[in-house]
Amino acid sequence: MNIKSTKNLYFLFLFSIIAIGIVLRFYNLPQFGTFGHDNSRDLIKLYKLYQYNEIIYRGPVFSIVWAFLSPVYYYILYPFYLVLKFHPLAPAYVTTLFNISALLALAFVTMKIFGKKVSLISTGIYSLSFLVIKEGAFGLNPSFMPIFTILLLFSIYRILDGSSKHIILLFISLAMLVSFHPSGFFMIPVLAILYFIYRPDIDRKNMILGISLFIILAAVPYFIQEKKFGWWSFKKVAEFIGQGSSAG
């Protein structure tokens, strides 16, 4: 089999796997989608934004320390709620679309890094996984994480491979991760350690642009939120860390 035929066969299999994954994600989506306490909270906040122009300063709460995430999550959801006329399952459709985008990104990234065979296997597993499909329809802020996690890991790989421009993608992905879930903050020390170990040669302009985008997308919304509410989340996190140190 010549190279052209092999390439065409790969894309045929890949297209089939992705098509099946898309069908499975939208099949019975109303049954997979959830509308629990968090979803109702989000709907009320966004309806107040629409009806009464109530600006949303706080994002979803993470109850371990009773602090708040960035409100960026709500402003990403907002246009979809408008298009779907505030349908209760609007977030389920949104996170399903993000889940599909993660599937596409996984196919691309694994092909670039590991080759076509690994790409087909990993994409097939992600495409057919019942757990991935179900969690993709939950319509909650953690459901936005997979696509940006994949893009972050790909950007790390490309930077270490010598592509300085991917620092911009890295900071955008990191900004989204720290906005959607507290676990995203754990990537910051990991990235710092990787930087000091490998010392990648990064163009200064790309670095400044990447940091600027991170500040705009992640730091500024958090700063506005905390300043308005008396640094509530910072105090709660500090209190939680202090309690952990005392217990130790």
Side-chain angles (χ1 to χ4, degrees):
M1 187 178 293
N2 58 45
I3 296 175
K4 185 176 180 180
S5 298
T6 303
K7 185 177 181 180
N8 291 338
L9 189 61
Y10 162 73
F11 282 110
L12 177 62
F13 277 117
L14 184 63
F15 176 81
S16 301
I17 290 171
I18 292 173
I20 293 171
I22 292 173
V23 170
L24 290 175
R25 279 157 176 76
F26 282 108
Y27 180 73
N28 280 339
L29 180 58
Q31 281 70 45
F32 283 141
T34 60
F35 190 74
H37 170 268
D38 291 346
N39 302 114
S40 59
R41 172 206 63 199
D42 299 344
L43 177 58
I44 292 170
K45 282 179 174 288
L46 290 169
Y47 187 76
K48 285 182 177 180
L49 173 63
Y50 169 73
Q51 188 70 26
Y52 307 111
N53 297 318
E54 287 191 11
I55 297 175
I56 301 173
Y57 292 98
R58 280 176 162 173
V61 64
F62 54 104
S63 56
I64 295 177
V65 298
W66 206 251
F68 293 87
L69 293 167
S70 167
V72 167
Y73 165 70
Y74 288 128
Y75 290 102
I76 291 176
L77 276 184
Y78 185 60
F80 293 98
Y81 265 111
L82 290 179
V83 171
L84 296 172
K85 299 180 179 180
F86 288 89
H87 191 285
L89 290 181
Y93 285 98
V94 177
T95 52
T96 296
L97 291 175
F98 272 81
N99 192 274
I100 292 171
S101 68
L103 177 64
L104 296 172
L106 181 65
F108 172 79
V109 169
T110 51
M111 181 188 69
K112 287 291 184 180
I113 299 177
F114 303 108
K116 296 175 181 177
K117 184 180 292 186
V118 174
S119 176
L120 288 175
I121 295 172
S122 58
T123 306
I125 293 172
Y126 197 86
S127 174
L128 302 175
S129 170
F130 175 75
L131 181 62
V132 171
I133 294 170
K134 187 176 180 181
E135 290 186 349
F138 280 174
L140 300 173
N141 47 297
S143 302
F144 287 82
M145 299 283 284
I147 173 63
F148 295 106
T149 303
I150 293 169
L151 293 177
L152 179 75
L153 295 175
F154 178 64
S155 62
I156 293 172
Y157 167 79
R158 294 293 289 124
I159 290 168
L160 296 180
D161 197 42
S163 178
S164 176
K165 64 182 181 181
H166 280 83
I167 192 70
I168 299 170
L169 177 62
L170 183 145
F171 275 112
I172 292 174
S173 302
L174 181 62
M176 294 298 99
L177 290 175
V178 300
S179 298
F180 292 141
H181 199 267
S183 62
F185 286 96
F186 291 103
M187 284 305 304
I188 296 176
V190 173
L191 292 173
I193 292 170
L194 288 174
Y195 178 80
F196 286 111
I197 291 176
Y198 293 100
R199 299 280 183 173
D201 185 18
I202 300 174
D203 179 75
R204 181 175 295 180
K205 291 182 179 179
N206 289 333
M207 177 67 85
I208 292 173
L209 178 57
I211 293 175
S212 299
L213 289 171
F214 178 82
I215 292 172
I216 293 170
L217 296 172
V220 170
Y222 271 114
F223 177 80
I224 293 173
Q225 171 192 171
E226 292 307 299
K227 190 173 187 301
K228 182 173 179 61
F229 294 100
W231 311 100
W232 170 276
S233 295
F234 282 106
K235 291 176 181 178
K236 286 296 180 180
V237 171
E239 182 182 318
F240 178 77
I241 294 173
Q243 289 175 349
S245 301
S246 301

